[in-house]
Amino acid sequence: MLPTTATASAPPPAPPAAGASSSSGSGEPHAALLLALGHMRLRELLACARACRGLRDAVAGDPLLWRRLAVEPPLSHRITDEALLAPADRAGGTLRSLHLVGCPRVSDAGLLRVVQHNPGITELFVPRCTGLTADGLVKIIQFLYECKGNLSRVRLHGICKMTKHHLDIINSLIRRSSQPDAQALYYNHRVHEVLNTDDSRPIDVDVCPLCRNVRLVFDCTRKDCRDVKDGWSHCRGCFFCVARCETCGGCIDLEELGETGLACSDFLCMDCWLKLPKCSTCNRPYCERHSNLKENLSSSGQFTCQECTAFATSLEILGDGD
């Protein structure tokens, strides 16, 4: 149905009179597009800046667009020290949040230059930036502390050779809020893939109570483990020390690991294993993360795992050879 303001027989609108101002005629971007710039990611902003002169000037001339700078894949592996400094400088020294996710080509010296130009940074996220060192990050955080003292959150997962000594220094330099920061961290594979912006803890890593390495340390989701007075002594630890269910994040003992085999490489506890559909041949399920690997999926939910499909195909090839 046509809207009440238009009819099928309505004539087309008359062209604008000569000399009349028009945003499209003058080449200026639409106001709605300018408002959308504040919600775009870095890659989208850079693409808009190449679209036309008006957008280029709007992107480059508004420091507010650059107060939060997040470099994520696929840009992560392309960003270098010089390439990082260019967008950071567009904030005009007002950069507040810097998120670098898996940027191996960013060095301590390059990050320090960005921080020196923007001493008011309050969030510094550098997970899996393998070009950074623990000593270099301590120096950078020390600089921010001496300048403003406003740094309140850091993310350091994946930084090599981080020790308890480094962690203690960084903890002493981070501005603490009035709220307690003893927040539990439960395991999920997404912890390793994306940044949880809802995580309000000042720092993401901790000293694993089992191996004494500085890593992401997870708490157990099982109620019986949390109710035990000394449960953390054997149930709280990093991914390498405590096997955890991919679905619920609870700990898994060795007996469960032997009984809950999967068609993929992840782990499941018995409770989650029983709830999932199984391969019609080997009776093994896929976890939710790898459910897209099911083959010969029927309307009733029955499927064949890739390993069984490959084995059946090899048998057919051997049979044809005979």
Side-chain angles (χ1 to χ4, degrees):
M1 181 181 295
L2 291 173
T4 57
T5 56
T7 62
S9 58
S21 61
S22 169
S23 61
S24 59
S26 62
E28 293 296 326
H30 195 280
L33 183 56
L34 296 179
L35 291 176
L37 292 177
H39 302 276
M40 293 183 180
R41 298 175 180 268
L42 176 61
R43 188 182 184 188
E44 297 163 346
L45 274 178
L46 296 177
C48 281
R50 294 193 297 267
C52 66
R53 181 179 301 176
L55 282 175
R56 182 194 65 191
D57 295 340
V59 169
D62 188 357
L64 294 179
L65 295 176
W66 304 95
R67 294 188 68 182
R68 296 179 58 85
L69 181 59
V71 182
E72 303 169 319
L75 293 180
S76 300
H77 287 269
R78 299 169 56 186
I79 202 79
T80 62
D81 291 343
E82 294 298 327
L84 176 62
L85 187 61
D89 280 348
R90 291 186 177 182
T94 64
L95 183 64
R96 294 293 179 264
S97 176
L98 180 59
H99 294 190
L100 305 178
V101 184
C103 301
R105 302 174 68 183
V106 175
S107 66
D108 294 336
L111 183 58
L112 181 59
R113 287 174 60 192
V114 172
V115 168
Q116 287 173 340
H117 291 191
N118 300 272
I121 290 177
T122 60
E123 290 184 351
L124 182 62
F125 291 8
V126 289
R128 303 194 303 276
C129 291
T130 53
L132 302 175
T133 65
D135 292 334
L137 283 170
V138 168
K139 181 179 179 180
I140 290 169
I141 295 174
Q142 176 76 41
F143 173 83
L144 290 173
Y145 176 79
E146 293 174 351
C147 288
K148 296 285 185 178
N150 290 329
L151 185 65
S152 58
R153 289 205 298 169
V154 295
R155 296 294 178 263
L156 307 172
H157 168 57
I159 300 300
C160 298
K161 298 182 179 180
M162 180 75 68
T163 65
K164 184 179 182 300
H165 175 67
H166 296 117
L167 191 61
D168 290 340
I169 296 176
I170 293 173
N171 271 314
S172 67
L173 299 175
I174 296 179
R175 182 175 62 85
R176 301 286 173 168
S177 64
S178 57
Q179 299 178 352
D181 53 294
Q183 181 180 346
L185 177 65
Y186 299 120
Y187 174 76
N188 189 297
H189 73 271
R190 297 181 183 87
V191 172
H192 298 278
E193 297 175 359
V194 298
L195 291 174
N196 181 11
T197 55
D198 296 329
D199 184 2
S200 60
R201 296 175 304 150
I203 188 168
D204 59 336
V205 293
D206 199 355
V207 178
C208 175
L210 301 177
C211 67
R212 309 308 299 174
N213 290 314
V214 176
R215 291 173 176 154
L216 291 176
V217 177
F218 302 102
D219 299 285
C220 190
T221 59
R222 291 190 174 189
K223 186 177 184 299
D224 52 348
C225 291
R226 287 186 279 115
D227 291 342
V228 177
K229 184 177 181 180
D230 60 344
W232 278 14
S233 62
H234 69 277
C235 196
R236 184 173 187 266
C238 67
F239 175 78
F240 297 97
C241 294
V242 181
R244 299 201 179 275
C245 175
E246 189 65 35
T247 299
C248 69
C251 63
I252 308 176
D253 56 32
L254 294 178
E255 184 178 351
E256 276 188 300
L257 284 177
E259 297 176 355
T260 57
L262 294 180
C264 56
S265 58
D266 293 322
F267 302 138
L268 287 181
C269 66
M270 181 59 74
D271 292 339
C272 295
W273 187 87
L274 292 172
K275 297 175 184 177
L276 295 176
K278 314 296 189 297
C279 171
S280 58
T281 302
C282 66
N283 196 39
R284 295 183 304 170
Y286 279 113
C287 68
E288 294 180 1
R289 185 159 69 111
H290 296 105
S291 59
N292 61 314
L293 300 180
K294 297 177 181 178
E295 298 186 0
N296 305 322
L297 184 62
S298 66
S299 57
S300 61
Q302 292 185 337
F303 69 93
T304 306
C305 69
Q306 286 187 335
E307 186 174 340
C308 291
T309 301
F311 182 71
T313 303
S314 63
L315 290 179
E316 293 178 359
I317 294 175
L318 290 175
D320 294 340
D322 296 339

mmCIF file of all heavy atoms in Angstrom, residues 219-256:
data_model
loop_
_atom_site.group_PDB
_atom_site.id
_atom_site.type_symbol
_atom_site.label_atom_id
_atom_site.label_comp_id
_atom_site.label_asym_id
_atom_site.label_seq_id
_atom_site.Cartn_x
_atom_site.Cartn_y
_atom_site.Cartn_z
ATOM 1 N N ASP A 219 37.775 -19.269 36.861
ATOM 2 C CA ASP A 219 37.068 -19.848 37.993
ATOM 3 C C ASP A 219 36.109 -20.912 37.482
ATOM 4 O O ASP A 219 35.723 -20.909 36.306
ATOM 5 C CB ASP A 219 36.302 -18.762 38.743
ATOM 6 C CG ASP A 219 37.226 -17.695 39.305
ATOM 7 O OD1 ASP A 219 37.894 -17.976 40.310
ATOM 8 O OD2 ASP A 219 37.295 -16.591 38.721
ATOM 9 N N CYS A 220 35.706 -21.802 38.355
ATOM 10 C CA CYS A 220 34.834 -22.903 37.959
ATOM 11 C C CYS A 220 33.375 -22.477 38.073
ATOM 12 O O CYS A 220 32.984 -21.771 38.996
ATOM 13 C CB CYS A 220 35.094 -24.129 38.828
ATOM 14 S SG CYS A 220 34.261 -25.623 38.224
ATOM 15 N N THR A 221 32.560 -22.926 37.114
ATOM 16 C CA THR A 221 31.136 -22.605 37.135
ATOM 17 C C THR A 221 30.318 -23.615 37.919
ATOM 18 O O THR A 221 29.140 -23.379 38.179
ATOM 19 C CB THR A 221 30.597 -22.549 35.693
ATOM 20 O OG1 THR A 221 30.813 -23.822 35.061
ATOM 21 C CG2 THR A 221 31.310 -21.461 34.887
ATOM 22 N N ARG A 222 30.912 -24.728 38.295
ATOM 23 C CA ARG A 222 30.166 -25.751 39.029
ATOM 24 C C ARG A 222 29.878 -25.291 40.452
ATOM 25 O O ARG A 222 30.773 -24.852 41.175
ATOM 26 C CB ARG A 222 30.956 -27.052 39.059
ATOM 27 C CG ARG A 222 31.065 -27.728 37.695
ATOM 28 C CD ARG A 222 31.636 -29.115 37.832
ATOM 29 N NE ARG A 222 31.621 -29.835 36.581
ATOM 30 C CZ ARG A 222 31.911 -31.123 36.453
ATOM 31 N NH1 ARG A 222 32.249 -31.819 37.531
ATOM 32 N NH2 ARG A 222 31.876 -31.709 35.287
ATOM 33 N N LYS A 223 28.623 -25.427 40.854
ATOM 34 C CA LYS A 223 28.219 -24.956 42.165
ATOM 35 C C LYS A 223 28.914 -25.729 43.276
ATOM 36 O O LYS A 223 29.334 -25.158 44.283
ATOM 37 C CB LYS A 223 26.700 -25.069 42.316
ATOM 38 C CG LYS A 223 26.156 -24.466 43.606
ATOM 39 C CD LYS A 223 24.647 -24.558 43.645
ATOM 40 C CE LYS A 223 24.114 -23.873 44.899
ATOM 41 N NZ LYS A 223 24.611 -24.486 46.139
ATOM 42 N N ASP A 224 29.057 -27.040 43.099
ATOM 43 C CA ASP A 224 29.694 -27.834 44.157
ATOM 44 C C ASP A 224 31.160 -27.460 44.327
ATOM 45 O O ASP A 224 31.699 -27.533 45.440
ATOM 46 C CB ASP A 224 29.563 -29.332 43.871
ATOM 47 C CG ASP A 224 30.047 -29.696 42.478
ATOM 48 O OD1 ASP A 224 30.264 -28.772 41.670
ATOM 49 O OD2 ASP A 224 30.217 -30.895 42.203
ATOM 50 N N CYS A 225 31.816 -27.010 43.244
ATOM 51 C CA CYS A 225 33.212 -26.577 43.361
ATOM 52 C C CYS A 225 33.301 -25.223 44.056
ATOM 53 O O CYS A 225 34.198 -24.982 44.861
ATOM 54 C CB CYS A 225 33.859 -26.492 41.978
ATOM 55 S SG CYS A 225 34.099 -28.091 41.170
ATOM 56 N N ARG A 226 32.373 -24.323 43.739
ATOM 57 C CA ARG A 226 32.408 -23.003 44.348
ATOM 58 C C ARG A 226 32.011 -23.026 45.814
ATOM 59 O O ARG A 226 32.398 -22.148 46.584
ATOM 60 C CB ARG A 226 31.475 -22.053 43.565
ATOM 61 C CG ARG A 226 32.042 -21.673 42.217
ATOM 62 C CD ARG A 226 31.200 -20.635 41.505
ATOM 63 N NE ARG A 226 30.052 -21.236 40.826
ATOM 64 C CZ ARG A 226 28.788 -21.021 41.143
ATOM 65 N NH1 ARG A 226 28.497 -20.210 42.136
ATOM 66 N NH2 ARG A 226 27.814 -21.593 40.471
ATOM 67 N N ASP A 227 31.227 -24.044 46.194
ATOM 68 C CA ASP A 227 30.804 -24.142 47.596
ATOM 69 C C ASP A 227 31.884 -24.719 48.500
ATOM 70 O O ASP A 227 31.841 -24.541 49.719
ATOM 71 C CB ASP A 227 29.539 -25.002 47.703
ATOM 72 C CG ASP A 227 28.328 -24.299 47.099
ATOM 73 O OD1 ASP A 227 28.405 -23.060 46.937
ATOM 74 O OD2 ASP A 227 27.345 -24.971 46.785
ATOM 75 N N VAL A 228 32.847 -25.442 47.907
ATOM 76 C CA VAL A 228 33.918 -26.019 48.706
ATOM 77 C C VAL A 228 34.835 -24.910 49.199
ATOM 78 O O VAL A 228 35.231 -24.020 48.435
ATOM 79 C CB VAL A 228 34.718 -27.049 47.888
ATOM 80 C CG1 VAL A 228 35.892 -27.596 48.699
ATOM 81 C CG2 VAL A 228 33.807 -28.195 47.474
ATOM 82 N N LYS A 229 35.191 -24.950 50.456
ATOM 83 C CA LYS A 229 35.983 -23.873 51.055
ATOM 84 C C LYS A 229 37.324 -23.720 50.375
ATOM 85 O O LYS A 229 37.784 -22.618 50.089
ATOM 86 C CB LYS A 229 36.167 -24.138 52.553
ATOM 87 C CG LYS A 229 36.893 -23.020 53.284
ATOM 88 C CD LYS A 229 36.970 -23.309 54.772
ATOM 89 C CE LYS A 229 37.681 -22.169 55.495
ATOM 90 N NZ LYS A 229 37.780 -22.431 56.960
ATOM 91 N N ASP A 230 38.006 -24.844 50.123
ATOM 92 C CA ASP A 230 39.326 -24.782 49.497
ATOM 93 C C ASP A 230 39.260 -25.243 48.041
ATOM 94 O O ASP A 230 40.221 -25.764 47.500
ATOM 95 C CB ASP A 230 40.335 -25.636 50.271
ATOM 96 C CG ASP A 230 39.919 -27.106 50.329
ATOM 97 O OD1 ASP A 230 38.731 -27.392 50.048
ATOM 98 O OD2 ASP A 230 40.777 -27.948 50.638
ATOM 99 N N GLY A 231 38.094 -25.032 47.392
ATOM 100 C CA GLY A 231 37.925 -25.508 46.017
ATOM 101 C C GLY A 231 38.874 -24.858 45.034
ATOM 102 O O GLY A 231 39.275 -25.467 44.060
ATOM 103 N N TRP A 232 39.216 -23.603 45.259
ATOM 104 C CA TRP A 232 40.097 -22.908 44.324
ATOM 105 C C TRP A 232 41.485 -23.537 44.257
ATOM 106 O O TRP A 232 42.192 -23.383 43.286
ATOM 107 C CB TRP A 232 40.214 -21.444 44.739
ATOM 108 C CG TRP A 232 39.074 -20.615 44.268
ATOM 109 C CD1 TRP A 232 37.883 -21.066 43.780
ATOM 110 C CD2 TRP A 232 39.015 -19.196 44.217
ATOM 111 N NE1 TRP A 232 37.076 -20.020 43.444
ATOM 112 C CE2 TRP A 232 37.739 -18.851 43.703
ATOM 113 C CE3 TRP A 232 39.888 -18.188 44.573
ATOM 114 C CZ2 TRP A 232 37.332 -17.543 43.525
ATOM 115 C CZ3 TRP A 232 39.490 -16.873 44.392
ATOM 116 C CH2 TRP A 232 38.233 -16.553 43.878
ATOM 117 N N SER A 233 41.875 -24.276 45.295
ATOM 118 C CA SER A 233 43.223 -24.833 45.315
ATOM 119 C C SER A 233 43.431 -25.850 44.207
ATOM 120 O O SER A 233 44.541 -26.066 43.764
ATOM 121 C CB SER A 233 43.507 -25.483 46.675
ATOM 122 O OG SER A 233 42.600 -26.556 46.900
ATOM 123 N N HIS A 234 42.353 -26.486 43.714
ATOM 124 C CA HIS A 234 42.519 -27.485 42.666
ATOM 125 C C HIS A 234 41.675 -27.197 41.436
ATOM 126 O O HIS A 234 41.861 -27.830 40.390
ATOM 127 C CB HIS A 234 42.129 -28.873 43.190
ATOM 128 C CG HIS A 234 40.666 -29.032 43.469
ATOM 129 N ND1 HIS A 234 40.094 -28.612 44.648
ATOM 130 C CD2 HIS A 234 39.663 -29.541 42.713
ATOM 131 C CE1 HIS A 234 38.798 -28.858 44.612
ATOM 132 N NE2 HIS A 234 38.502 -29.408 43.448
ATOM 133 N N CYS A 235 40.745 -26.254 41.519
ATOM 134 C CA CYS A 235 39.795 -26.031 40.432
ATOM 135 C C CYS A 235 40.011 -24.707 39.723
ATOM 136 O O CYS A 235 39.539 -24.528 38.613
ATOM 137 C CB CYS A 235 38.373 -26.076 41.004
ATOM 138 S SG CYS A 235 37.093 -26.278 39.783
ATOM 139 N N ARG A 236 40.677 -23.772 40.321
ATOM 140 C CA ARG A 236 40.934 -22.480 39.695
ATOM 141 C C ARG A 236 42.316 -22.522 39.049
ATOM 142 O O ARG A 236 43.317 -22.828 39.699
ATOM 143 C CB ARG A 236 40.875 -21.363 40.737
ATOM 144 C CG ARG A 236 41.026 -19.960 40.160
ATOM 145 C CD ARG A 236 40.794 -18.896 41.229
ATOM 146 N NE ARG A 236 40.767 -17.552 40.648
ATOM 147 C CZ ARG A 236 41.811 -16.755 40.560
ATOM 148 N NH1 ARG A 236 42.995 -17.143 41.042
ATOM 149 N NH2 ARG A 236 41.716 -15.562 40.010
ATOM 150 N N GLY A 237 42.381 -22.193 37.771
ATOM 151 C CA GLY A 237 43.665 -22.243 37.087
ATOM 152 C C GLY A 237 43.529 -21.830 35.638
ATOM 153 O O GLY A 237 42.444 -21.503 35.146
ATOM 154 N N CYS A 238 44.654 -21.842 34.937
ATOM 155 C CA CYS A 238 44.662 -21.457 33.524
ATOM 156 C C CYS A 238 44.172 -22.617 32.660
ATOM 157 O O CYS A 238 43.943 -23.732 33.144
ATOM 158 C CB CYS A 238 46.068 -21.031 33.103
ATOM 159 S SG CYS A 238 47.290 -22.365 33.101
ATOM 160 N N PHE A 239 44.030 -22.352 31.373
ATOM 161 C CA PHE A 239 43.508 -23.352 30.445
ATOM 162 C C PHE A 239 44.408 -24.576 30.360
ATOM 163 O O PHE A 239 43.943 -25.690 30.128
ATOM 164 C CB PHE A 239 43.356 -22.708 29.058
ATOM 165 C CG PHE A 239 42.944 -23.659 27.971
ATOM 166 C CD1 PHE A 239 41.632 -24.061 27.855
ATOM 167 C CD2 PHE A 239 43.875 -24.156 27.072
ATOM 168 C CE1 PHE A 239 41.250 -24.954 26.856
ATOM 169 C CE2 PHE A 239 43.500 -25.034 26.069
ATOM 170 C CZ PHE A 239 42.177 -25.427 25.962
ATOM 171 N N PHE A 240 45.713 -24.403 30.540
ATOM 172 C CA PHE A 240 46.656 -25.510 30.407
ATOM 173 C C PHE A 240 46.688 -26.400 31.646
ATOM 174 O O PHE A 240 47.132 -27.545 31.571
ATOM 175 C CB PHE A 240 48.065 -24.961 30.135
ATOM 176 C CG PHE A 240 48.160 -24.199 28.851
ATOM 177 C CD1 PHE A 240 48.076 -22.807 28.842
ATOM 178 C CD2 PHE A 240 48.311 -24.846 27.635
ATOM 179 C CE1 PHE A 240 48.155 -22.089 27.661
ATOM 180 C CE2 PHE A 240 48.390 -24.140 26.452
ATOM 181 C CZ PHE A 240 48.301 -22.757 26.461
ATOM 182 N N CYS A 241 46.232 -25.892 32.774
ATOM 183 C CA CYS A 241 46.295 -26.662 34.022
ATOM 184 C C CYS A 241 44.986 -27.353 34.361
ATOM 185 O O CYS A 241 44.997 -28.410 35.003
ATOM 186 C CB CYS A 241 46.705 -25.749 35.175
ATOM 187 S SG CYS A 241 48.389 -25.108 35.051
ATOM 188 N N VAL A 242 43.866 -26.786 33.979
ATOM 189 C CA VAL A 242 42.559 -27.344 34.311
ATOM 190 C C VAL A 242 41.739 -27.477 33.036
ATOM 191 O O VAL A 242 41.467 -26.478 32.366
ATOM 192 C CB VAL A 242 41.805 -26.448 35.330
ATOM 193 C CG1 VAL A 242 40.446 -27.064 35.676
ATOM 194 C CG2 VAL A 242 42.633 -26.251 36.592
ATOM 195 N N ALA A 243 41.358 -28.722 32.694
ATOM 196 C CA ALA A 243 40.499 -28.938 31.528
ATOM 197 C C ALA A 243 39.097 -28.421 31.832
ATOM 198 O O ALA A 243 38.556 -28.679 32.913
ATOM 199 C CB ALA A 243 40.456 -30.426 31.185
ATOM 200 N N ARG A 244 38.515 -27.695 30.881
ATOM 201 C CA ARG A 244 37.208 -27.094 31.116
ATOM 202 C C ARG A 244 36.249 -27.411 29.972
ATOM 203 O O ARG A 244 36.650 -27.547 28.818
ATOM 204 C CB ARG A 244 37.336 -25.580 31.274
ATOM 205 C CG ARG A 244 38.207 -25.196 32.451
ATOM 206 C CD ARG A 244 37.947 -23.782 32.926
ATOM 207 N NE ARG A 244 38.789 -23.475 34.082
ATOM 208 C CZ ARG A 244 38.466 -23.768 35.335
ATOM 209 N NH1 ARG A 244 37.326 -24.369 35.584
ATOM 210 N NH2 ARG A 244 39.285 -23.476 36.322
ATOM 211 N N CYS A 245 34.980 -27.485 30.347
ATOM 212 C CA CYS A 245 33.935 -27.765 29.373
ATOM 213 C C CYS A 245 33.770 -26.583 28.436
ATOM 214 O O CYS A 245 33.695 -25.432 28.872
ATOM 215 C CB CYS A 245 32.621 -28.063 30.107
ATOM 216 S SG CYS A 245 31.212 -28.296 28.996
ATOM 217 N N GLU A 246 33.694 -26.870 27.151
ATOM 218 C CA GLU A 246 33.565 -25.816 26.156
ATOM 219 C C GLU A 246 32.215 -25.118 26.235
ATOM 220 O O GLU A 246 32.086 -23.965 25.847
ATOM 221 C CB GLU A 246 33.738 -26.417 24.750
ATOM 222 C CG GLU A 246 33.849 -25.415 23.634
ATOM 223 C CD GLU A 246 35.088 -24.562 23.737
ATOM 224 O OE1 GLU A 246 36.124 -25.071 24.185
ATOM 225 O OE2 GLU A 246 35.014 -23.377 23.372
ATOM 226 N N THR A 247 31.207 -25.798 26.773
ATOM 227 C CA THR A 247 29.866 -25.225 26.818
ATOM 228 C C THR A 247 29.583 -24.469 28.110
ATOM 229 O O THR A 247 29.167 -23.314 28.089
ATOM 230 C CB THR A 247 28.809 -26.328 26.634
ATOM 231 O OG1 THR A 247 28.993 -26.955 25.362
ATOM 232 C CG2 THR A 247 27.400 -25.753 26.711
ATOM 233 N N CYS A 248 29.833 -25.110 29.259
ATOM 234 C CA CYS A 248 29.464 -24.488 30.533
ATOM 235 C C CYS A 248 30.644 -23.885 31.281
ATOM 236 O O CYS A 248 30.449 -23.122 32.229
ATOM 237 C CB CYS A 248 28.758 -25.504 31.431
ATOM 238 S SG CYS A 248 29.830 -26.828 32.062
ATOM 239 N N GLY A 249 31.879 -24.218 30.912
ATOM 240 C CA GLY A 249 33.054 -23.664 31.569
ATOM 241 C C GLY A 249 33.435 -24.350 32.859
ATOM 242 O O GLY A 249 34.360 -23.906 33.549
ATOM 243 N N GLY A 250 32.743 -25.423 33.228
ATOM 244 C CA GLY A 250 33.079 -26.155 34.448
ATOM 245 C C GLY A 250 34.303 -27.023 34.273
ATOM 246 O O GLY A 250 34.712 -27.349 33.150
ATOM 247 N N CYS A 251 34.921 -27.410 35.387
ATOM 248 C CA CYS A 251 36.115 -28.263 35.320
ATOM 249 C C CYS A 251 35.725 -29.683 34.941
ATOM 250 O O CYS A 251 34.598 -30.135 35.165
ATOM 251 C CB CYS A 251 36.840 -28.236 36.665
ATOM 252 S SG CYS A 251 35.873 -28.898 38.037
ATOM 253 N N ILE A 252 36.666 -30.394 34.352
ATOM 254 C CA ILE A 252 36.451 -31.784 33.918
ATOM 255 C C ILE A 252 37.578 -32.627 34.482
ATOM 256 O O ILE A 252 38.757 -32.301 34.306
ATOM 257 C CB ILE A 252 36.444 -31.900 32.382
ATOM 258 C CG1 ILE A 252 35.461 -30.899 31.764
ATOM 259 C CG2 ILE A 252 36.098 -33.312 31.953
ATOM 260 C CD1 ILE A 252 35.477 -30.897 30.248
ATOM 261 N N ASP A 253 37.230 -33.732 35.162
ATOM 262 C CA ASP A 253 38.275 -34.615 35.682
ATOM 263 C C ASP A 253 38.677 -35.629 34.617
ATOM 264 O O ASP A 253 38.064 -35.731 33.543
ATOM 265 C CB ASP A 253 37.808 -35.318 36.961
ATOM 266 C CG ASP A 253 36.519 -36.097 36.781
ATOM 267 O OD1 ASP A 253 36.287 -36.610 35.667
ATOM 268 O OD2 ASP A 253 35.730 -36.183 37.737
ATOM 269 N N LEU A 254 39.723 -36.379 34.897
ATOM 270 C CA LEU A 254 40.263 -37.318 33.911
ATOM 271 C C LEU A 254 39.275 -38.417 33.558
ATOM 272 O O LEU A 254 39.241 -38.889 32.417
ATOM 273 C CB LEU A 254 41.559 -37.935 34.456
ATOM 274 C CG LEU A 254 42.732 -36.955 34.642
ATOM 275 C CD1 LEU A 254 43.925 -37.678 35.239
ATOM 276 C CD2 LEU A 254 43.106 -36.304 33.323
ATOM 277 N N GLU A 255 38.450 -38.823 34.512
ATOM 278 C CA GLU A 255 37.469 -39.859 34.236
ATOM 279 C C GLU A 255 36.433 -39.383 33.223
ATOM 280 O O GLU A 255 36.051 -40.115 32.310
ATOM 281 C CB GLU A 255 36.773 -40.281 35.531
ATOM 282 C CG GLU A 255 35.787 -41.430 35.354
ATOM 283 C CD GLU A 255 35.164 -41.848 36.678
ATOM 284 O OE1 GLU A 255 35.621 -41.362 37.735
ATOM 285 O OE2 GLU A 255 34.215 -42.655 36.644
ATOM 286 N N GLU A 256 36.001 -38.148 33.370
ATOM 287 C CA GLU A 256 35.038 -37.585 32.418
ATOM 288 C C GLU A 256 35.656 -37.450 31.031
ATOM 289 O O GLU A 256 34.987 -37.683 30.017
ATOM 290 C CB GLU A 256 34.556 -36.220 32.902
ATOM 291 C CG GLU A 256 33.415 -36.260 33.886
ATOM 292 C CD GLU A 256 32.877 -34.873 34.177
ATOM 293 O OE1 GLU A 256 33.660 -34.043 34.657
ATOM 294 O OE2 GLU A 256 31.683 -34.625 33.935
#
